[in-house]
Amino acid sequence: MGVLVLNAGYEPLHTVSLPHAIRMLVRQVAVVHESHGPDLGVFPRPKVVRLLRYVVMKWRYSGPPRWSRSGVLRRDRHTCAYCGRQATTVDHITPVSRGGARTSWLNTVAACGGSARSCNARKADRTPAEAGLTLRFPPRVPRWEELHPLAGLST
C-alpha cells in the first residue's frame, strides 16, 4: 500500500511509494500527517503526508477518470454485477469480439470469476441476454472521489 498525499488544504491528491514519500520529506515539500510502524531514521514511517504548498488540481477534474480494471472493481465495490457475489475480474457487457468497447466505463462491470461456475465463465463471449444473465446495476462513469484508495476515510 502506498502513502497517501494530501494537498495543503487536506484533500487527497494521490498515493506515492514509500521511497517517494521519504524524498518529499527530505526536500521539505511535505510533512508527515499520519505515521505507523517503526521510524525510518529521522522520519517516522509515513502513512499520510501533507504538502506544505497548495497544488491546484484543476487538471484532475477537467474530465472523467481514465478507465482501469481496478477502477471498475472499486466502482462496483467488488460486487458481481450479475449475481452479487464477490467480484474478482472485469467483464465486457458487449464482448470486444462482437464490437464492444475494449476499455469503457459503460461497457465493463465487475464479475465473479475463477471457476467454471462463475458468471464470467457462464457469460463467455455472449451478451448478458444470450447467457441468461441480467445486470443488477447499470455501469456508469465513476466520480474521481470513488476511485481514490482511501475514499470515505477521515484523515
Side-chain angles (χ1 to χ4, degrees), residues 118-132:
S118 70
C119 291
N120 198 30
R122 179 178 166 195
K123 183 175 165 294
D125 198 24
R126 302 180 288 178
T127 65
E130 291 170 346

Side-chain angles (χ1 to χ4, degrees), residues 43-125:
F43 298 109
R45 180 181 294 268
K47 183 176 181 180
V48 180
V49 296
R50 183 178 52 83
L51 296 178
L52 295 174
R53 289 187 162 179
Y54 186 81
V55 174
V56 177
M57 300 186 320
K58 193 163 62 172
W59 57 269
R60 182 175 185 177
Y61 298 104
S62 62
R66 286 181 51 173
W67 183 92
S68 69
R69 180 183 181 281
S70 62
V72 172
L73 291 170
R74 186 166 286 134
R75 175 198 69 185
D76 295 349
R77 293 187 172 98
H78 291 271
T79 302
C80 179
Y82 301 112
C83 70
R85 293 184 299 202
Q86 182 174 357
T88 56
T89 189
V90 171
D91 179 61
H92 291 85
I93 299 166
T94 302
V96 176
S97 64
R98 311 259 309 261
R102 182 166 189 79
T103 56
S104 163
W105 289 112
L106 301 178
N107 189 43
T108 51
V109 291
C112 59
S115 72
R117 294 174 43 192
S118 70
C119 291
N120 198 30
R122 179 178 166 195
K123 183 175 165 294
D125 198 24

Side-chain angles (χ1 to χ4, degrees), residues 9-11 17-18 22 25 35 41 79 83 86 98 109-110 116 127-128 139 142:
Y10 294 93
E11 60 269 357
S17 66
L18 180 60
I22 297 298
L25 297 172
S35 64
T79 302
C83 70
Q86 182 174 357
R98 311 259 309 261
V109 291
T127 65

